[in-house]
Amino acid sequence: MRYVNGVVLKGRNELAISATCPVPDDIVETGAIIRPLIWSPCTSDAHLVQTGAESLPYLIGKALGHEMCGEIIRVGKDVHDFKVGDRVIVCSVMPIWRSLEAQDGHAFQKQDNMYGGVDYPDRGGSFVEEYYIRDADMNLALIPDGVTLEQAVMVPDMMCTAFGGVSELNPSFGDSVAVLGIGPVGLMCVRALYLHGASRIYAIGSRKICFSVASSFGATDLVDYHDTSWTDEIIEKNHGLLDGVLIAGGGNDALSNALKMTKKGGTVVNLATYFGGRNIEIDPASWGFGYADKTIKGVGCKGGRLQMMRMARLIETGRVSPEMLITHTFHGMNKVIDGLNLFLNHDRSLIKPVIYND
Ligand code: ZN
């Protein structure tokens, strides 16, 4: 085992660059080692910093990070589709494809990465100098020519999560859908809904910069959740309840607000993360007292090579311009901490930061 530098979580609001991140000398035959070229910190990384990973205590002492693209520096002998020198997108949520969950159609429920990676808990995240993965052919995707690193690093979580969520909602052409919370994932949901044929797309947020990107991505209505009766306003504008709602933020009332706006028989897809320590409330009336046939789906990031290849093609063909999410660009591993601090300080000019490893 060797140890390399990484951005390590030491405790509540405590991060350090530390040369304690393990890279095995012997990699599995399907595995690969990747040298990061670009990272992007995420709200969920910031949440772990803020809480000292109280919901996932085994992450203390390990590197954070799950959004990264890099260059392959080593492959095992059973890796068929990738070679040393390839520039790749690395899965954010890395399914274990040889699992019963995968055979059951829920590959994302058995993960090999840091957040659910209790099967291999030593590794930690991808804010490291060298990152080891165990299933290169299934959990990497080549960065196509003409796709920049900044665009590519928006694939593993922002695009895979949002487009996966919209696929789960599966709106019909012409449906009216709201996106509650227009941070980077919510904004990508707006674009995915537009491409999926939704007619009215209500983008619910509060920050000017996010409204501006939402408009560019295809939102038809921009709604500020500081307006006290915003849910009623949407229902009125829509001349009735919505076909579906995606939750990508919105706090403790999110589920009640989403259910309230959704028609009988409609679907709410949740993409927000609810860490432990509190209950989530549902107002019974919003849910038709339990009888309104409204479905709630809790969906995580859809990882895997195929999903990432599809996302990369959307960028390559100009259908999606994910670089519009990037508001801050840094260079050097120590700047990952600056990037995370933007989230922790609730910087209102932030959508997504990226950090080049140079
Ligand atoms: Zn993320």
Side-chain angles (χ1 to χ4, degrees), residues 29 53 118 160 190 243 309 352:
E29 290 172 357
V118 287
C160 285
V190 169
D243 298 293
M309 285 168 64
K352 270 300 257 188

Side-chain angles (χ1 to χ4, degrees), residues 42 44 66-67 92 157-158 352:
C42 178
S44 46
H66 56 274
E67 297 178 37
S92 197
D157 190 359
M158 302 302 99
K352 270 300 257 188

Side-chain angles (χ1 to χ4, degrees), residues 7 120 126 146 156 162 183 323:
V7 180
Y120 187 53
S126 55
E323 70 280 6

Side-chain angles (χ1 to χ4, degrees), residues 55-311:
S55 303
L56 304 164
Y58 60 88
L59 294 178
I60 295 288
K62 301 202 177 84
L64 292 177
H66 56 274
E67 297 178 37
M68 182 267 277
C69 293
E71 181 182 357
I72 297 178
I73 55 172
R74 190 175 163 194
V75 287
K77 73 175 172 54
D78 278 349
V79 173
H80 302 293
D81 299 337
F82 298 94
K83 59 183 188 311
V84 169
D86 283 347
R87 284 150 62 102
V88 289
I89 308 167
V90 181
C91 246
S92 197
V93 164
M94 223 172 273
I96 296 177
W97 296 100
R98 284 172 57 86
S99 68
L100 296 181
E101 287 81 355
Q103 291 187 27
D104 205 19
H106 299 285
F108 317 100
Q109 300 304 334
K110 186 75 171 178
Q111 301 170 21
D112 197 23
N113 71 326
M114 63 173 293
Y115 293 153
V118 287
D119 294 317
Y120 187 53
D122 289 344
R123 182 177 56 211
S126 55
F127 296 156
V128 287
E129 288 175 314
E130 291 181 29
Y131 188 60
Y132 169 49
I133 76 162
R134 296 195 295 175
D135 193 348
D137 281 333
M138 290 296 104
N139 287 324
L140 296 176
L142 284 174
I143 302 176
D145 290 343
V147 172
T148 67
L149 284 173
E150 292 196 358
Q151 291 174 316
V153 79
M154 294 297 109
V155 166
D157 190 359
M158 302 302 99
M159 285 185 70
C160 285
T161 301
F163 280 75
V166 170
S167 296
E168 284 293 328
L169 187 73
N170 195 21
S172 295
F173 293 111
D175 270 2
S176 298
V177 182
V179 180
L180 178 45
I182 48 168
V185 169
L187 288 169
M188 272 298 149
C189 288
V190 169
R191 188 63 189 164
L193 286 166
Y194 172 83
L195 292 172
H196 209 286
S199 54
R200 298 290 286 263
I201 302 171
Y202 298 88
I204 305 155
S206 72
R207 292 189 291 141
K208 223 177 179 174
I209 186 168
C210 298
F211 283 138
S212 153
V213 177
S215 288
S216 304
F217 279 175
T220 54
D221 298 81
L222 308 175
V223 180
D224 192 327
Y225 59 67
H226 289 121
D227 299 343
T228 44
S229 54
W230 62 270
T231 48
D232 293 325
E233 278 169 32
I234 289 177
I235 295 164
E236 200 183 309
K237 266 188 181 179
N238 197 57
H239 308 296
L241 296 169
L242 306 179
D243 298 293
V245 176
L246 285 139
I247 299 175
N252 223 26
D253 296 334
L255 268 174
S256 290
N257 286 327
L259 286 164
K260 180 184 168 186
M261 293 188 289
T262 302
K263 71 179 183 185
K264 289 179 182 176
T267 302
V268 171
V269 168
N270 176 72
L271 298 171
T273 309
Y274 303 91
F275 287 98
R278 65 188 167 101
N279 294 328
I280 308 165
E281 289 171 13
I282 292 178
D283 164 31
S286 73
W287 203 22
F289 307 98
Y291 298 116
D293 220 355
K294 300 184 188 185
T295 304
I296 303 170
K297 289 186 175 180
V299 180
C301 174
K302 294 218 166 186
R305 177 177 171 188
L306 183 58
Q307 172 82 348
M308 295 199 299
M309 285 168 64
R310 288 172 168 152
M311 299 299 105

